[in-house]
């Protein structure tokens, strides 16, 4: 009887551990900035003209402007590396811009830059 209880307990603990791991699976690749998650997306301004000119949109910028700036920097760098193989960016309005130049619309921080070829 003791062996059966131990097996049931082990199965329950294993199932609990497995379900806890599954529920976090979508969060493993999230990168936090200022201890917060900022969904971000980079996309070309006009695919027909050039992929080098792009915008980055960072959601929930009100959580932390510093964190949103760094999330935008990260997303822009990722975009340029994937598109051109370089992390060099000429920001029109970017993470290092003066606060008065930043564009925030509907809680989204928007940057614009150009990937520089190596």
């Amino acid at each position: 009887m003791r062996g059966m209880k131990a097996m049931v307990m082990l199965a329950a603990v294993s199932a609990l551990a497995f379900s806890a791991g599954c529920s976090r699976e979508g969060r493993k690749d999230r990168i936090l900035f200022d201890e917060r998650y900022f969904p971000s997306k980079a996309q070309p301004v006009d695919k027909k003209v050039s992929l080098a000119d792009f915008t980055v949109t960072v959601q929930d910028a009100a959580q932390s402007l510093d964190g949103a700036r760094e999330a935008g920097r990260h997303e822009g760098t990722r975009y340029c590396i994937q598109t051109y193989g370089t992390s060099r960016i000429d920001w029109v309005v970017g993470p290092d811009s003066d606060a008065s130049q930043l564009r925030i619309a509907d809680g989204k921080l928007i940057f614009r830059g150009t990937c520089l070829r190596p």
Side-chain angles (χ1 to χ4, degrees):
M1 191 64 142
R2 263 186 168 184
M4 181 63 108
K5 283 184 180 181
M7 286 181 60
V8 169
M9 183 63 105
L10 179 60
V13 169
S14 296
L16 181 60
F18 177 76
S19 66
C22 290
S23 66
R24 292 187 183 152
E25 189 170 318
R27 295 176 180 237
K28 284 183 184 176
D29 59 346
R30 287 186 175 186
I31 299 173
L32 302 181
F33 298 92
D34 199 18
E35 299 181 17
R36 295 170 178 88
Y37 174 64
F38 297 89
S40 305
K41 182 177 182 179
Q43 58 190 18
V45 173
D46 186 346
K47 286 182 184 179
K48 294 178 184 177
V49 175
S50 171
L51 295 176
D53 298 321
F54 68 95
T55 61
V56 174
T57 304
V58 182
Q59 306 277 339
D60 305 326
Q63 292 184 89
S64 163
L65 188 55
D66 289 339
R69 284 179 187 240
E70 291 310 309
R73 181 190 316 272
H74 175 78
E75 188 65 20
T77 302
R78 190 179 70 77
Y79 173 82
C80 289
I81 288 172
Q82 288 179 343
T83 307
Y84 287 103
T86 180
S87 61
R88 295 177 53 220
I89 301 172
D90 180 21
W91 292 104
V92 176
V93 176
D96 297 322
S97 296
D98 187 76
S100 64
Q101 294 179 320
L102 296 179
R103 184 172 156 216
I104 300 175
D106 298 323
K108 301 172 189 170
L109 178 60
I110 302 166
F111 290 156
R112 185 171 177 153
T114 302
C115 301
L116 300 175
R117 293 188 183 241

